[in-house]
Amino acid sequence: MMKLKLFFKQSLKDFVIHWPLYLTFTLFLILSLSMSLGLVSFTSLFINDMNHAIGLKPMDNVEFKLEKYYVDQRQTKNDDESIFQKEHADEPLFKFFEETIKDVKTTEQQKWNRMIYRHFALNYGDIIHIDPVANLTTMENNNLEQPDYDQINQYIDQIRLKFKMKYHVTNIQMAFFVNEYLKQINHDETTLMKEKFYFRKDRDNSFQVKLENQQKSGFLKTLLTNPEMGDLHQGYYGDEIANKLFDQQPETQKIANYNLFHANDLNKTYFDQTINFNDVKYQNYLDKSKPEFGRFFYVSPKDAHFFDLKIGQEYNIHLMSNENIQSTNRFLFAGVLINGHLWHDPFWLDLFIPLQTINKLMFETHEETIDQTDSTPLDRYWDSAQRFTTQIKMQFWFPNQGDAYQAQNFFSNWFEKNLMTSWGDYEAKLQSNTDWIERELYFNTLSILKIFILLTVVISLFGSVKNFV
């Protein structure tokens, strides 16, 4: 008891003597904590207000990851432990596959369909060539005597081209969900996915580019269009390129399912500053009959500032390959944009350009390197075109399914009911993994925590140094 009294007496005496120091430290501690909390609150409110202001609020709440799978019931499990699912007995994916290629196959080729489909299934659904040595298990139980793999792979090339032209991907599983989305927006009641959904449209790196007389390089990325973009939004190829691709009525030709590249409730773009395409000076850029059709680009606000770009001016853009200039094209700088996945990289430049223009540039640049044997200009055009995603997963947004945990569970149940069943000893629900949610939450929390700690330490050190002095 005496020791406790002595402790308090000494503490009070010490506080009376050094009270200015304790007061200063306490004030700076309160200030640092207030500023840290204020910064976190401001950041959260600012991001929320920006999301609501420019329509970027919806976020993906489902991740669909591509996996290998078995097909028919006679297929037995092999030593590949990475395969843990099998397509339903009614084979919805195989039926979709056959429906897509019905105008590609001949009577001779029909006998190959199940064999090559099984090969695709063992490769995540990717439409790729068969290596007769590396893929012997694919050929089991197909009753084919010494198949001609050169002919089969040529057939696969036709299938791949068909999927790229129609669905803009070369993976059967991805194409299936692209088709389900198309059925929804086209009000086709045959869709298996009755729940409204959207998928994230990646903007792949199509070309390495560089503005003339600038060191910073970057990539061409697909610009999603809106109704104000006229012939572009309607999906016309453009008369100049269509005249090379089509023998009949080239001026009426449109890219199949171009509405995949329309902006929607998930894939939104806010044009912060833009030219007025109704102005006589700029109308040709949306007119499919004009050579200027689609020859314009947008960038992020910071890139526009970094390069001191002037809206309405034209700039030379170099298309690069291994730091070598392949060609130089002149494009109009149409303005600056913001979208849900746009962020400023100090080392790279992103130029957002219409799909028709990117495809045309790809075709003109690579046409001479593509095998022209038994192929048409239209085949070569789509052979050189980029898929809209090269990822092994797709991000979905189900607006009526609440948070990510609820939505992922809904999708898992739907997936098992309609497409796949577990195979072998696999006990977990298919497509139920929610690690990606924790991962995103972890990185967001970690970023906020770093800001909080850094600001607290800096202000506390500042206060301590000031007291010391």
Side-chain angles (χ1 to χ4, degrees):
M1 190 68 177
M2 292 295 295
K3 289 183 178 181
L4 184 60
K5 289 183 178 181
L6 183 61
F7 171 76
F8 281 114
K9 183 177 180 180
Q10 184 64 34
S11 298
L12 181 60
K13 181 180 179 182
D14 185 66
F15 177 77
V16 172
I17 297 173
H18 300 99
W19 70 267
L21 180 62
Y22 283 106
L23 179 61
T24 305
F25 174 78
T26 303
L27 290 175
F28 270 97
L29 180 61
I30 294 173
L31 178 63
S32 63
L33 290 174
S34 299
M35 292 185 67
S36 299
L37 292 173
L39 181 61
V40 172
S41 299
F42 169 78
T43 302
S44 176
L45 290 172
F46 175 77
I47 292 174
N48 185 64
D49 289 343
M50 285 296 293
N51 282 334
H52 284 294
I54 63 179
L56 303 178
K57 182 64 176 176
M59 297 298 291
D60 321 324
N61 57 7
V62 167
E63 181 177 275
F64 166 53
K65 185 178 179 182
L66 300 177
E67 302 286 359
K68 303 174 185 178
Y69 61 98
Y70 290 130
V71 183
D72 48 53
Q73 298 302 312
R74 64 183 177 180
Q75 194 160 13
T76 57
K77 189 169 178 60
N78 59 19
D79 294 331
D80 190 347
E81 296 182 357
S82 66
I83 303 179
F84 49 80
Q85 59 184 8
K86 173 179 280 192
E87 186 173 353
H88 276 196
D90 58 347
E91 299 182 329
L93 285 171
F94 180 65
K95 290 177 181 176
F96 163 71
F97 168 73
E98 287 222 301
E99 175 66 21
T100 300
I101 65 172
K102 63 182 180 181
D103 58 348
V104 174
K105 64 186 179 183
T106 64
T107 303
E108 175 67 19
Q109 293 168 328
Q110 288 181 13
K111 64 183 182 182
W112 298 336
N113 284 348
R114 180 163 291 277
M115 177 189 72
I116 62 175
Y117 176 72
R118 291 174 64 186
H119 163 68
F120 299 153
L122 294 177
N123 288 276
Y124 301 91
D126 286 337
I127 303 173
I128 58 177
H129 280 180
I130 292 178
D131 181 340
V133 176
N135 295 278
L136 290 176
T137 55
T138 309
M139 317 309 165
E140 296 175 355
N141 303 320
N142 280 286
N143 299 320
L144 295 178
E145 297 180 1
Q146 296 181 344
D148 186 330
Y149 291 107
D150 288 337
Q151 289 188 16
I152 292 174
N153 284 332
Q154 289 177 18
Y155 180 43
I156 290 175
D157 287 337
Q158 297 175 41
I159 293 173
R160 178 184 173 89
L161 198 61
K162 183 67 175 180
F163 270 79
K164 189 188 282 190
M165 292 175 65
K166 190 170 184 179
Y167 302 115
H168 305 275
V169 292
T170 56
N171 179 281
I172 295 170
Q173 294 188 71
M174 284 186 171
F176 177 85
F177 283 104
V178 170
N179 189 50
E180 289 296 299
Y181 171 76
L182 288 169
K183 285 182 177 180
Q184 284 197 5
I185 62 178
N186 292 325
H187 307 290
D188 185 341
E189 295 183 356
T190 64
T191 177
L192 284 176
M193 178 60 76
K194 304 300 182 183
E195 184 74 12
K196 184 178 181 180
F197 81 107
Y198 303 90
F199 63 90
R200 176 69 63 190
K201 298 168 186 176
D202 292 339
R203 295 166 172 84
D204 280 341
N205 301 332
S206 300
F207 258 126
Q208 187 178 356
V209 296
K210 184 181 291 184
L211 288 170
E212 190 173 51
N213 300 323
Q214 298 288 344
Q215 293 300 313
K216 184 179 178 181
S217 60
F219 298 94
L220 292 186
K221 295 194 173 183
T222 305
L223 173 72
L224 300 181
T225 61
N226 55 47
E228 287 72 32
M229 292 186 177
D231 290 346
L232 276 173
H233 190 68
Q234 295 181 47
Y236 286 102
Y237 280 87
D239 292 357
E240 181 181 351
I241 188 66
N243 286 326
K244 300 179 182 179
L245 305 180
F246 301 96
D247 294 329
Q248 298 180 349
Q249 299 180 314
E251 70 281 355
T252 65
Q253 301 296 332
K254 294 183 179 182
I255 293 174
N257 296 322
Y258 183 80
N259 47 5
L260 289 173
F261 300 94
H262 290 172
N264 57 34
D265 287 346
L266 175 61
N267 303 276
K268 286 190 175 183
T269 297
Y270 169 71
F271 295 96
D272 185 41
Q273 301 175 48
T274 184
I275 61 173
N276 180 7
F277 283 108
N278 292 321
D279 191 316
V280 176
K281 185 166 54 174
Y282 303 123
Q283 287 179 351
N284 287 354
Y285 291 92
L286 299 182
D287 186 342
K288 66 182 182 62
S289 67
K290 305 299 182 183
E292 298 93 340
F293 180 62
R295 298 183 71 87
F296 60 87
F297 67 94
Y298 286 86
V299 298
S300 69
K302 284 196 172 183
D303 280 334
H305 176 75
F306 181 86
F307 292 104
D308 193 27
L309 300 177
K310 307 298 182 185
I311 294 179
Q313 290 189 13
E314 292 187 340
Y315 294 87
N316 287 331
I317 297 177
H318 300 313
L319 305 183
M320 312 293 294
S321 177
N322 298 322
E323 299 301 322
N324 296 318
I325 298 175
Q326 290 187 308
S327 64
T328 300
N329 296 265
R330 197 159 183 83
F331 289 89
L332 175 77
F333 175 47
V336 298
L337 57 76
I338 304 172
N339 63 54
H341 283 305
L342 185 65
W343 58 287
H344 178 68
D345 188 331
F347 303 105
W348 295 102
L349 163 70
D350 287 333
L351 298 184
F352 291 85
I353 291 181
L355 174 72
Q356 290 92 326
T357 306
I358 293 179
N359 284 356
K360 181 173 180 289
L361 291 173
M362 296 286 286
F363 172 67
E364 293 173 346
T365 303
H366 297 298
E367 184 179 18
E368 295 182 358
T369 64
I370 299 174
D371 185 8
Q372 300 189 17
T373 305
D374 298 327
S375 67
T376 66
L378 184 62
D379 291 340
R380 297 192 292 275
Y381 174 91
W382 283 107
D383 191 26
S384 63
Q386 291 288 299
R387 298 162 288 170
F388 74 72
T389 181
T390 57
Q391 303 294 317
I392 62 170
K393 59 186 178 181
M394 296 179 77
Q395 285 77 35
F396 297 145
W397 178 49
F398 288 83
N400 300 322
Q401 285 300 321
D403 64 25
Y405 293 100
Q406 178 181 338
Q408 192 73 51
N409 183 63
F410 163 81
F411 180 73
S412 175
N413 292 334
W414 180 92
F415 189 82
E416 290 191 332
K417 178 181 178 181
N418 293 280
L419 293 185
M420 303 280 184
T421 57
S422 298
W423 177 249
D425 300 327
Y426 192 76
E427 297 181 354
K429 290 180 62 178
L430 301 177
Q431 297 296 334
S432 63
N433 185 16
T434 56
D435 288 350
W436 66 275
I437 306 173
E438 282 85 2
R439 187 167 59 249
E440 287 194 2
L441 180 62
Y442 169 77
F443 283 118
N444 290 337
T445 304
L446 185 62
S447 298
I448 294 175
L449 184 62
K450 285 180 178 178
I451 294 174
F452 180 85
I453 293 175
L454 179 61
L455 189 58
T456 302
V457 169
V458 169
I459 295 178
S460 298
L461 288 176
F462 174 77
S464 300
V465 170
K466 184 174 180 181
N467 288 333
F468 178 78
V469 173

